[in-house]
Amino acid sequence: MSDPMNVLAPEHRRLRIGDAWRDAASGATFAVEDPATGKTIAEVADADVVDGLAALDAASTAMAEWAATPPRKRSELLTATYRALTERSEEVARLITLEMGKPLAEARGEVAYGAEFFRWFAEEAVRVEGRYSIAPSGGYRILTVPKPVGPCVFVTPWNFPLAMGARKIAPALAAGCTTITKPAGQTPLTMLFLARIMEEVGVPPGVVNVVTTKRSGEVVSALLADGRTRKLSFTGSTEVGRVLLRQAADNVLRTSMELGGNAALIVCADADLDVALDGAMVAKMRNIGESCIAANRIYVEEPVREEFSARFAERMGALSMGHGLDDGVNVGALIDEASVTKIDELVADAVDRGARVLVGGERPDGPGHFYPPTVLVDVPDDARMLKAEIFGPVAPIISFTSDDEVMAKANDTEHGLAGYVFTRDLQRALRFAEGLDTGMLGINRGLISDPSAPFGGVKQSGIGKEGSHEGILEYLDLTYVAIDLPGPARCSGRPACAPAPPGRPTLPTPSRSRR
């Protein structure tokens, strides 16, 4: 097994600020661990407030020139980033697995997904449009001019260390904004590698800054308190999101918040069970269940509950657990010991309240932060795991007998990020689509993430959308210009407005009866 750390030289484990890779002002560093072994794999710079503000200096200095860069040029740089990530996908994937723990096949999928944001927004960069129209009252014209918001601060999570940064950086650069990214302390290496790639393809200094730190609260707070910051985008827990929203309010920042989830996956009795099982495995076990859109609660209609539960448990029990870089591994390590302890406590709580374990449910001995794929049935409504975000390979199954019942249970949460429904009845599917309080819904499909689709939730799962055409709008302000131009619109007298010369054929006026 080759060493994935060979792709990230020691000089690229520093802060990326402006045109330089630099040590933290204090000289401090912190360790990054392999969650499958608990061993340190790298030391990276541990920034403080001085470093964070230096990054904001660089982003602010670069802002005017980057905003004035022709959209086609910005597009070409994003396309070059996409190509570089694609060409080096195996290196990036191995680095993701090493610092985050997911199996290598999952990491490869993340690289493809993350790279696609750069390709998508390279196409969007040249399609930012305003409009020109006649005011309804006449007498003047309405012009709308989209402009980049300004320097952006991004706080990204550890579960998708490339894709979550790409989903923010790509639209920001396409819109003409500069960026400061603070990656999660557990997984900073992938974002540093992305910054190196973007430097190599020619993204100008100061446009993409990366600040790694274990002192996230104080560094991010200082950035949000500085009037030069104009946008915050955060992906993480609802609890931290609430804190950041309060801080962002002081300077009335534009915000995009992709927060916690508690997705319900509903299997109706009329569903194709093979399709439902395939979809449930993807929705539950993608990224080892460490995903905000993971199926957190699985509701199965009573007539098929027993068969679905048995077949689902069989599939979960057949998965192979181990180091993500090893061949044949389906389930890698969880991110840290706290995650394993939380999941173990949620399973114990459900069992204490009457749930039965069909497979898994026993925490293995170390080393590494592992928990086996687990399926529980007869999970009562008061089990903590039905309210908490499990964020791991544990699937509680609950039966239901009517659509109204399951709809009420699915909506009984403060979250509203994603949901899944499996049914062959189109009308039933549409009733769920209209009745479920979610920002995203998969019908007969367990994978819904796509750079060309708007990703985001409702209720306390977030604000705004990422990806799709809507994603670039999050990084644009709109200036309305009223232009005085009295009188109705009329021909300017140019040749194009002149009547046809004598003898020149003209198109006949169609009869009203024609179709």
Side-chain angles (χ1 to χ4, degrees):
M1 179 167 69
S2 62
D3 182 6
M5 286 306 300
N6 289 337
V7 306
L8 198 65
E11 62 266 26
H12 298 124
R13 302 173 198 176
R14 300 171 175 173
L15 310 176
R16 175 61 181 175
I17 298 176
D19 62 355
W21 294 86
R22 62 172 78 173
D23 293 325
S26 66
T29 63
F30 66 90
V32 181
E33 295 183 352
D34 176 355
T37 64
K39 295 180 179 178
T40 296
I41 55 176
E43 293 279 340
V44 300
D46 188 5
D48 59 16
V49 170
V50 171
D51 301 304
L53 293 179
L56 183 55
D57 289 342
S60 300
T61 299
M63 182 65 215
E65 185 174 350
W66 181 247
T69 299
R72 179 62 67 194
K73 177 61 176 177
R74 299 200 298 263
S75 173
E76 289 168 350
L77 289 170
L78 292 173
T79 299
T81 303
Y82 161 75
R83 289 175 177 160
L85 282 171
T86 302
E87 290 166 2
R88 306 187 67 175
S89 61
E90 191 66 13
E91 296 172 83
V92 184
R94 294 177 73 82
L95 186 59
I96 290 172
T97 293
L98 189 65
E99 69 171 344
M100 185 266 158
K102 70 180 69 179
L104 188 55
E106 292 264 2
R108 290 172 179 142
E110 180 183 346
V111 177
Y113 175 54
E116 195 65 27
F117 283 104
F118 289 100
R119 179 159 70 165
W120 174 263
F121 284 107
E123 296 162 347
E124 290 294 299
V126 296
R127 291 171 175 79
V128 175
E129 298 176 345
R131 67 182 176 91
Y132 177 84
S133 62
I134 302 170
S137 61
Y140 72 99
R141 302 296 179 262
I142 294 171
L143 176 68
T144 60
V145 183
K147 300 176 182 178
V149 169
C152 304
V153 171
F154 299 147
V155 182
T156 60
W158 49 261
N159 58 336
F160 289 92
L162 173 72
M164 296 302 95
R167 200 160 73 183
K168 301 177 191 303
I169 293 171
L173 267 60
C177 298
T178 56
T179 66
I180 304 150
T181 302
K182 201 292 296 178
Q186 299 100 320
T187 58
L189 302 175
T190 303
M191 186 52 56
L192 291 172
F193 193 32
L194 175 61
R196 173 188 166 190
I197 285 176
M198 298 191 79
E199 175 191 21
E200 290 174 350
V201 302
V203 174
V207 174
V208 175
N209 304 277
V210 178
V211 177
T212 57
T213 182
K214 278 290 189 178
R215 292 170 277 193
S216 299
E218 61 184 73
V219 173
V220 174
S221 294
L223 290 171
L224 300 186
D226 192 300
R228 294 172 296 175
T229 298
R230 294 312 313 145
K231 165 85 181 183
L232 165 67
S233 181
F234 169 72
T235 297
S237 71
T238 298
E239 292 74 17
V240 175
R242 293 188 189 110
V243 173
L244 293 176
L245 280 170
R246 283 192 286 268
Q247 294 177 356
D250 287 341
N251 280 333
V252 196
L253 299 184
R254 287 279 295 275
T255 58
S256 298
M257 311 296 284
E258 197 263 281
L259 307 178
N262 188 3
L265 185 146
I266 299 168
V267 180
C268 300
D270 60 35
D272 181 324
L273 282 194
D274 291 329
V275 171
L277 286 162
D278 289 343
M281 287 298 295
V282 172
K284 176 68 261 183
M285 291 304 295
R286 177 177 177 239
N287 214 56
I288 332 173
E290 294 175 313
S291 168
C292 54
I293 60 171
N296 208 62
R297 302 165 289 158
I298 299 179
Y299 293 98
V300 184
E301 198 165 8
E302 185 57 35
V304 296
R305 176 190 58 82
E306 188 172 345
E307 179 184 355
F308 178 90
S309 300
R311 293 175 64 184
F312 186 66
E314 182 180 7
R315 290 199 185 192
M316 290 281 277
L319 297 176
S320 174
M321 187 169 64
H323 197 298
L325 291 177
D326 292 341
D327 292 337
V329 168
N330 311 114
V331 182
L334 300 180
I335 190 63
D336 55 25
E337 188 64 19
S339 295
V340 179
T341 299
K342 170 192 168 185
I343 291 170
D344 199 38
E345 289 174 351
L346 289 175
V347 171
D349 171 78
V351 171
D352 287 346
R353 297 174 190 271
R356 292 186 297 116
V357 176
L358 294 187
V359 67
E362 293 187 7
R363 179 178 182 172
D365 295 331
H369 311 306
F370 291 93
Y371 200 88
T374 298
V375 178
L376 300 97
V377 294
D378 302 330
V379 180
D381 290 341
D382 61 352
R384 285 172 49 206
M385 67 170 54
L386 300 187
K387 298 294 184 183
E389 192 171 20
I390 297 172
F391 235 64
V394 174
I397 295 179
I398 311 99
S399 66
F400 73 92
T401 58
S402 74
D403 291 0
D404 288 343
E405 173 199 1
V406 74
M407 197 99 69
K409 287 184 175 181
N411 287 337
D412 185 21
T413 172
E414 67 181 14
H415 297 110
L417 188 57
Y420 307 87
V421 175
F422 291 85
T423 176
R424 283 184 277 201
D425 184 330
L426 177 59
Q427 290 185 336
R428 196 177 193 185
L430 292 174
R431 284 196 295 270
F432 277 114
E434 293 184 2
L436 290 172
D437 297 332
T438 63
M440 299 173 286
L441 184 67
I443 302 292
N444 296 324
R445 183 174 177 83
L447 180 63
I448 58 176
S449 298
D450 190 312
S452 65
F455 191 106
V458 298
K459 299 197 290 189
Q460 296 196 40
S461 283
I463 300 169
K465 301 295 181 183
E466 294 187 307
S468 75
H469 173 68
E470 289 82 359
I472 199 169
L473 301 181
E474 300 284 341
Y475 297 92
L476 293 166
D477 281 331
L478 202 62
T479 296
Y480 151 55
V481 182
I483 305 171
D484 190 53
L485 191 61
R490 54 173 58 89
C491 177
S492 66
R494 292 175 298 173
C497 296
R504 182 175 176 179
T506 58
L507 292 175
T509 302
S511 166
R512 290 184 180 273
S513 63
R514 280 184 164 176
R515 293 290 185 267

